């Protein structure tokens, strides 16, 4: 492997055209990211451990989407209804994890913003319902419980821990 100097690499490499942040800035950024986000497998693991996970999961999608499939135990609270219904459905002392369809949808982000503006501590679940189902976790539909095989491109097939 041939190593190039940073100046040579940045002249020809679009990845390094903008240099990486300093380690301190990177640590601040990634630490902040973890304060705002949770991934599907961490949420599933916390819920499967039994007892109180210390947070509530909120599905911010429409009723039709909820009926199509949702995380067991989640609270159904469409984003447009958050200002009116959150105080009745959620305890402000309990952190909230929002989700929507998947990575191509920012509905969970909008829901997290609405909840934060009301004073709730909130994280967004990366991957949304799509990755919940793709990683092989059980979900509920209007017809009953369902579980799909884990997609080997999103989760380890023969191991409960991805090693992340």
């Amino acid at each position: 492997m041939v190593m190039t100097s940073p100046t040579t690499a940045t002249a020809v490499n679009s990845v390094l055209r903008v240099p990486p942040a300093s380690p301190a800035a990177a640590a601040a950024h990634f630490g902040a990211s973890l304060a705002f986000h949770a991934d599907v497998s961490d949420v599933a693991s916390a819920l499967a451990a039994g007892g109180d996970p210390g947070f509530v999961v909120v599905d911010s999608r429409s009723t039709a989407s909820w009926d199509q499939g949702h995380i067991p135990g989640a609270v159904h609270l469409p984003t447009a209804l958050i200002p009116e219904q959150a105080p009745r459905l959620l305890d402000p002392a309990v952190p909230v994890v929002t989700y929507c369809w998947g990575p191509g949808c920012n509905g969970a982000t909008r829901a997290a913003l609405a909840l934060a503006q009301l004073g709730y501590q909130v994280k967004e679940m990366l991957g949304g319902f799509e990755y919940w189902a793709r990683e092989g976790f059980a979900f509920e539909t209007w017809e009953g419980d369902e579980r799909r095989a884990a997609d080997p491109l999103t989760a380890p097939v023969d191991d409960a821990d991805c090693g992340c």
Side-chain angles (χ1 to χ4, degrees), residues 7-34:
T7 9
T8 306
T10 56
V12 296
N13 184 330
S14 60
V15 171
L16 298 174
R17 189 170 295 136
V18 174
S22 71
H29 169 80
F30 294 117
S33 179
L34 292 171

Side-chain angles (χ1 to χ4, degrees), residues 26-117:
H29 169 80
F30 294 117
S33 179
L34 292 171
F36 298 112
H37 300 110
D39 72 21
V40 166
S41 62
D42 287 343
V43 172
S45 175
L47 294 175
D52 180 1
F55 61 88
V56 64
V57 178
V58 169
D59 184 318
S60 65
R61 301 172 301 149
S62 69
T63 299
S65 299
W66 168 267
D67 288 346
Q68 191 172 323
H70 59 271
I71 295 173
V75 172
H76 184 221
L77 182 55
T79 302
L81 302 177
I82 287 174
E84 173 191 333
Q85 294 185 6
R88 181 173 51 82
L89 296 174
L90 303 172
D91 180 347
V94 177
V96 177
V97 175
T98 62
Y99 76 90
C100 197
W101 272 112
C105 174
N106 67 1
T109 305
R110 286 192 302 272
L113 173 60
L115 288 162
Q117 289 172 331

